[in-house]
Amino acid sequence: MTRNIMIVGVGGQGTLLASRILGAALIDAGYDVKVSEVHGMSQRGGSVVTYVRFGDKVYSPIIGTGEADIILAFELLEAYRSVSFLKPNGIMIVNTQKLDPMPVITGTAQYPENIEEKIGKTLNLKTVDALSLAKEAGNIKAVNVVLIGVMAKSTDIPYENWIEALKKTVPAKFLDINLAAFDKGYNL
């Protein structure tokens, strides 16, 4: 059986590191893993989407509409944009942080209101103030690892695999902060 996880966010939020941590944990757990990254204007704050598919044998990295078991959203608007990819019984984990896209910054559009209410009506939605937890862990840039910790608790991958994946993917000088951030999310 193949399972599907989407990671969605904005350029600069660490979605690509999160996908590497996820991939490493899944490979260590013995799964065949395929990852596909879609970079919009990621260096300019645009959308970044990563598809992660895993199972006994996976042939394609792409996740279609209604196929995601889990969507890990680093930002509210990106969660709203990706909701159609979630399976009816899927889990959506959303960071409550709002990052204004360029049209909002330039004044040509407004940030949509009540996003949590709109997406939460029909979903298994888990909202997380990952920014506050990252601050508690020692660095606001660790939001991505807090969210990976929250998501990890929703999988059957052993805790030890996640810790090993962090050790393999995070630079040594940032490892302690990222381990603390992971635990903040995992134990939420």
Side-chain angles (χ1 to χ4, degrees):
M1 179 171 110
T2 300
R3 289 180 278 174
N4 305 306
I5 298 174
M6 279 181 66
I7 301 174
V8 299
V10 174
Q13 285 191 292
T15 57
L16 302 181
L17 175 60
S19 67
R20 286 194 294 275
I21 295 167
L22 174 57
L26 292 169
I27 289 168
D28 284 351
Y31 290 106
D32 182 30
V33 180
K34 300 289 185 277
V35 177
S36 176
E37 299 167 350
V38 179
H39 307 259
M41 291 289 289
S42 59
Q43 292 182 344
R44 303 231 184 258
S47 295
V48 178
V49 177
T50 303
Y51 303 111
V52 180
R53 300 188 73 221
F54 65 102
D56 294 331
K57 186 65 183 155
V58 179
Y59 297 97
S60 168
I62 305 301
I63 298 171
T65 302
E67 294 181 351
D69 295 289
I70 298 174
I71 296 178
L72 185 61
F74 284 37
E75 195 272 339
L76 278 168
L77 186 55
E78 296 304 320
Y80 189 54
R81 289 178 179 163
S82 65
V83 73
S84 66
F85 286 89
L86 195 65
K87 284 182 177 179
N89 60 344
I91 300 168
M92 181 173 263
I93 301 165
V94 182
N95 182 15
T96 56
Q97 188 174 5
K98 295 179 183 177
L99 295 173
D100 290 340
M102 196 53 68
V104 172
I105 292 170
T106 61
T108 59
Q110 290 186 336
Y111 197 97
E113 294 181 17
N114 306 316
I115 290 176
E116 288 176 65
E117 292 172 24
K118 290 175 184 174
I119 62 177
K121 287 181 181 177
T122 59
L123 299 177
N124 181 358
L125 176 67
K126 186 182 295 189
T127 57
V128 180
D129 182 357
L131 183 61
S132 293
L133 293 173
K135 283 180 189 175
E136 289 176 20
N139 191 328
I140 61 171
K141 291 183 178 184
V143 164
N144 57 345
V145 180
V146 169
L147 290 167
I148 285 289
V150 174
M151 187 203 63
K153 196 74 173 217
S154 300
T155 70
D156 57 358
I157 308 300
Y159 175 85
E160 295 75 25
N161 288 69
W162 293 103
I163 299 305
E164 285 305 310
L166 283 163
K167 290 177 180 177
K168 289 178 183 177
T169 55
V170 174
K173 65 182 177 179
F174 302 117
L175 184 58
D176 288 342
I177 287 172
N178 282 279
L179 289 170
F182 179 84
D183 282 340
K184 293 269 183 202
Y186 194 83
N187 296 316
L188 187 64

